[in-house]
Amino acid sequence: MGGNPNSPGRFPHPSEATAGLRPARSRSNGKPDTGPLRLALLARTSTEDQQDPTISIPRQLRTCENALPDGVVIVAHYYDIESGRKDLALRGRSRAHEAFDIPVRRDGGIADLLEAAESGNAQFDGVICESIDRIARRTYYGTLIEHRLERAGIVLLAADEPIILTGRRGNKATQILTRRVKQGVAEWYVLDMLEKAWGGFEQHTEQGFNVGIPPYGYRAERIPHPVPARRAEGKTKTRLALDRVRAPIVAKIYQWRVTLAMGYEVIAEQLNSDLTLNPPPVPPDPARAKGYWTSSAVRDILHNPKYTGYMVWNRRATKSGGRVNAASDWVWSPEPTHPAIVSVDTYLRSVGAAQRRERVREAPGANSALPHATQVYPFRSFVWCSKCGLRMNGRVRRTTHYYACAPKKSRVDAPHRSVALIREDALQSIVSKFFALRILGSDRFLLAAEALGAGESTAQTERAARLTAIQQQISDRENRRRKLMRSLEIADEVDDEFVRDIQSRIAEVRAEKRALQEQLKAVEKTVSEQENPNLLDTLPFGEIDVSKLPEELQRRLYDVFRLEIHYDFETRSVKVSATVFFEALGIARNLADQAIRISSGKETTGLVEDSTGPVCSVPPVGFEPTHPPPEGGALSPELRGLGT
């Protein structure tokens, strides 16, 4: 490989180079090796989709070869296809090069080069790159790589810098200064480009344009690109339009999740029962299509906020395996930009259901994942420890079933009993009486009204004050608008500038008034959505003995009523709460009716069919201390009450 005789810093004969600049090399006979100086190429190209590695890598090699003086050869080639901003510990792991036929032999990546250099048996004396910013796009990592090579006795060269390899004192200080300035400029350039690109994507999102494949339930509505040059190339932008076939399926998935608390796997099974009616989603790569619904496909739909009609960007990190970013980092359009399939409230309920059912096994019966598991715990995932906030797990002692809380010390902050136990039969008695008294009893309306009155008085006062304040501000804006109009009427001399100023101010006041009216609607909506105990009258009357119900019916009943049981082992008290949402009342009514029939011995058939009904919300009930339990944590079945 010949060198360029006119290149700056041209090498002297290799025998003139001082020994301190490279490790001493010996032949097998022990005599010093005075052959050509050996270098390793270090190249990098950022991404396989934005650049062509089959051109970039050979070009970098050619540039480095042209900068070499006589007596210097490149004997190894290390290159990667990856971002130069990645942490050094993560560099060199990309296998993107395997997808290309790059006409340059590859001996490894940056990690392999550093390992070879620091092994003490490197087959090269120096490393050369096209430009120092090819090493890394962060100054810290670039200087760290340089330092590690230098410590191993390996010099780092750049083809666009003066090459200094002799031991004579020269312009090394100037070379370092130039290199550091270039590294700083390279890092600034990338950050500046990222900041501008971020701002562009924010504007893109606020204008309602979609990035990527449309979510299931929507189709892409192509719009000509606003830039004439890109429009001439056939470039377009995309808005979301409803897919009339798949949009109802999305709405159905949310309804099942919110009203029935169905898990991802259960929803997928329901959809797979009729793939003609419920066509499964197709991934961006059709070759990966499974042809049926999976729990991950259901989860993606239930966690996608675009179904609310708002455009949302930056939900996933594109450079870290598609991990979901924190919700605080998402970019939302200020207003809805496309037809909504579900309301914001429904979406938030779905997210809340996911948090409530996190790591919960949905299927009834024993855990099939554990071959030796034979016990069934009907209250599994519904019992919580009020001291630490963790779920209580089922246990068996001799022949008695318990629910236990035995957290690791690292998971709790406050003092906690090593093992807190409550018997299952005690919970069965409590839950049966809770349903008989609070949900299906003749006095349920009075009890619910009392519970709501105790907890809502402060909130109602605050909402009333908020309503009054907003109404006063709206009235104030209307008075200002009238005064401005009056100014135009009584003015003696009116010029164009005066009229424009008044009109501009009137427009501002009107915008402020509209914003306040939206706030008023939001507050009024929260008032209208408060719990209404009168709606409990749509449920049947009767008593339930949960110990007589099939486990599957029990879990469906608990899911629909959002049952939560909190046990305080210090006061030996239980808090039971239940809530029914708008869409689930019909299902709750049917399940309760069947539970009453089975408890009374009048029915032994399977589960009822699902149905929908009007709005109903059963408020949570509070703590009620119970009688001291016997040894082992069991509660006495003789209870005076189940809540306030």
Side-chain angles (χ1 to χ4, degrees):
M1 299 181 183
N4 180 1
N6 298 321
S7 62
R10 184 177 182 276
F11 279 175
H13 189 273
S15 61
E16 299 178 20
T18 60
L21 291 176
R22 55 174 172 164
R25 292 180 288 144
S26 300
R27 299 183 188 273
S28 58
N29 59 8
K31 294 183 179 181
D33 183 0
T34 57
L37 191 68
R38 304 165 302 177
L39 298 182
L41 171 72
L42 180 55
R44 180 187 61 80
T45 185
S46 295
T47 57
E48 64 269 27
D49 55 344
Q50 297 294 331
Q51 296 174 310
D52 185 352
T54 64
I55 294 177
S56 179
I57 299 299
R59 179 187 57 75
Q60 294 179 52
L61 174 60
R62 176 73 60 84
T63 301
C64 292
E65 288 177 340
N66 290 339
L68 294 181
D70 294 333
V72 181
V73 295
I74 294 177
V75 298
H77 308 83
Y78 297 88
Y79 57 82
D80 293 301
I81 302 176
E82 62 183 8
S83 170
R85 290 178 54 79
K86 295 174 65 175
D87 289 351
L88 184 56
L90 302 177
R91 292 278 302 275
R93 300 182 182 181
S94 171
R95 302 180 62 179
H97 61 277
E98 297 177 357
F100 298 90
D101 185 15
I102 302 175
V104 176
R105 186 187 78 249
R106 185 177 187 271
D107 298 300
I110 178 66
D112 301 302
L113 181 141
L114 291 174
E115 181 180 356
E118 295 173 338
S119 68
N121 298 315
Q123 300 302 309
F124 49 85
D125 309 302
V127 175
I128 187 168
C129 59
E130 180 188 43
S131 178
I132 198 64
D133 59 311
R134 287 288 179 185
I135 301 298
R137 284 290 187 173
R138 294 181 186 269
T139 303
Y140 169 74
Y141 292 124
T143 55
L144 177 60
I145 293 170
E146 184 178 359
H147 172 69
R148 289 178 61 177
L149 291 174
E150 182 179 305
R151 189 171 55 185
I154 304 293
V155 65
L156 176 60
L157 308 173
D160 61 347
E161 297 177 1
I163 297 178
I164 302 174
L165 285 178
T166 66
R168 297 188 297 271
R169 295 185 181 275
N171 294 327
K172 186 69 177 294
T174 301
Q175 182 190 37
I176 293 297
L177 176 62
T178 303
R179 178 171 293 185
R180 298 296 176 261
V181 170
K182 290 182 62 178
Q183 288 173 323
V185 170
E187 184 169 358
W188 165 85
Y189 174 79
V190 173
L191 291 175
D192 183 64
M193 181 177 60
L194 290 175
E195 290 173 358
K196 291 178 179 177
W198 180 277
F201 274 115
E202 285 182 331
Q203 289 297 317
H204 191 268
T205 301
E206 291 178 2
Q207 293 176 17
F209 295 110
N210 186 60
V211 177
I213 303 298
Y216 183 90
Y218 289 106
R219 58 179 177 81
E221 182 181 352
R222 304 292 179 182
I223 297 176
H225 201 285
V227 178
R230 295 191 179 183
R231 187 166 59 245
E233 296 175 354
K235 301 290 185 180
T236 61
K237 288 194 172 188
T238 302
R239 294 189 184 275
L240 297 180
L242 285 178
D243 183 327
R244 299 296 177 182
V245 174
R246 291 166 176 78
I249 300 172
V250 174
K252 181 165 56 177
I253 290 173
Y254 272 90
Q255 181 186 19
W256 287 345
R257 182 64 166 174
V258 170
T259 63
L260 300 178
M262 292 172 63
Y264 306 137
E265 294 182 4
V266 178
I267 293 176
E269 290 176 1
Q270 289 284 100
L271 295 172
N272 286 328
S273 63
D274 190 343
L275 292 178
T276 302
L277 182 63
N278 309 307
V282 178
D285 181 6
R288 297 173 54 196
K290 296 182 179 295
Y292 57 87
W293 285 88
T294 63
S295 58
S296 60
V298 174
R299 182 182 63 246
D300 289 343
I301 289 176
L302 291 172
H303 286 263
N304 194 333
K306 291 183 181 179
Y307 293 114
T308 63
Y310 289 83
M311 185 55 65
V312 185
W313 172 73
N314 197 44
R315 290 192 308 118
R316 292 185 179 273
T318 57
K319 295 184 178 180
S320 58
R323 65 170 176 81
V324 177
N325 292 325
S328 57
D329 295 332
W330 298 358
V331 177
W332 291 68
S333 62
E335 300 290 341
T337 60
H338 53 270
I341 298 179
V342 299
S343 66
V344 175
D345 180 64
T346 299
Y347 170 75
L348 294 176
R349 286 184 184 179
S350 172
V351 174
Q355 296 171 346
R356 177 175 178 266
R357 306 296 287 169
E358 184 180 8
R359 296 190 299 275
V360 171
R361 181 172 60 88
E362 301 292 340
N367 191 350
S368 59
L370 302 176
H372 302 293
T374 59
Q375 302 297 332
V376 175
Y377 299 94
F379 293 114
R380 167 177 51 85
S381 76
F382 297 105
V383 186
W384 303 75
C385 176
S386 63
K387 300 301 292 184
C388 63
L390 300 177
R391 283 194 185 94
M392 301 180 71
N393 303 315
R395 286 193 182 183
V396 176
R397 286 190 174 181
R398 296 183 178 89
T399 59
T400 305
H401 288 196
Y402 294 88
Y403 292 85
C405 182
K408 296 180 180 179
K409 293 183 179 180
S410 59
R411 297 194 65 185
V412 295
D413 298 328
H416 195 288
R417 184 178 297 176
S418 58
V419 180
L421 297 172
I422 181 171
R423 288 177 54 159
E424 185 175 274
D425 56 359
L427 289 182
Q428 288 174 338
S429 176
I430 292 172
V431 172
S432 295
K433 292 188 176 182
F434 171 78
F435 273 94
L437 181 66
R438 294 279 177 174
I439 308 297
L440 307 174
S442 58
D443 294 330
R444 59 192 178 187
F445 170 78
L446 295 177
L447 293 171
E450 180 183 353
L452 289 173
E456 286 292 311
S457 58
T458 301
Q460 289 176 354
T461 301
E462 293 177 352
R463 283 193 293 269
R466 178 65 175 156
L467 284 171
T468 301
I470 295 176
Q471 289 169 343
Q472 290 177 347
Q473 294 181 55
I474 292 175
S475 177
D476 175 68
R477 297 307 187 276
E478 179 60 23
N479 291 334
R480 293 184 186 182
R481 186 190 67 81
R482 290 174 179 173
K483 289 180 179 179
L484 289 169
M485 294 296 296
R486 181 62 176 166
S487 298
L488 283 175
E489 294 175 358
I490 64 176
D492 295 332
E493 296 181 2
V494 178
D495 56 16
D496 292 341
E497 183 177 359
F498 177 78
V499 173
R500 285 195 300 269
D501 289 344
I502 294 295
Q503 290 176 338
S504 175
R505 181 54 185 152
I506 290 175
E508 292 176 0
V509 172
R510 284 176 174 170
E512 293 173 0
K513 181 181 176 181
R514 284 195 297 269
L516 289 169
Q517 288 172 336
E518 291 298 322
Q519 293 182 30
L520 183 64
K521 290 180 181 179
V523 176
E524 290 175 341
K525 182 180 179 181
T526 61
V527 175
S528 64
E529 290 180 348
Q530 296 308 307
E531 291 87 347
N532 182 359
N534 289 289
L535 299 174
L536 288 172
D537 287 338
T538 60
L539 295 174
F541 290 97
E543 294 188 0
I544 291 177
D545 184 352
V546 296
S547 64
K548 295 181 179 180
L549 303 180
E551 189 217 356
E552 185 176 359
L553 176 58
Q554 285 191 58
R555 296 194 64 81
R556 287 287 302 280
L557 189 72
Y558 302 156
D559 273 331
V560 169
F561 278 95
R562 297 296 194 275
L563 181 70
E564 288 192 15
I565 305 169
H566 294 263
Y567 174 56
D568 187 333
F569 59 80
E570 288 185 345
T571 60
R572 294 182 176 180
S573 60
V574 171
K575 176 185 177 182
V576 182
S577 63
T579 304
V580 171
F581 290 107
F582 171 80
E583 303 89 345
L585 182 57
I587 301 169
R589 182 171 55 243
N590 291 344
L591 290 173
D593 184 68
Q594 187 180 23
I596 293 171
R597 289 177 174 272
I598 293 176
S599 297
S600 62
K602 297 180 180 179
E603 182 176 325
T604 58
T605 58
L607 293 178
V608 296
E609 295 294 325
D610 293 342
S611 63
T612 58
V615 63
C616 177
S617 185
V618 182
V621 301
F623 274 103
E624 177 70 16
T626 65
H627 292 294
E631 289 299 317
L635 292 171
S636 171
E638 291 77 31
L639 302 175
R640 296 176 181 173
L642 296 172
T644 56

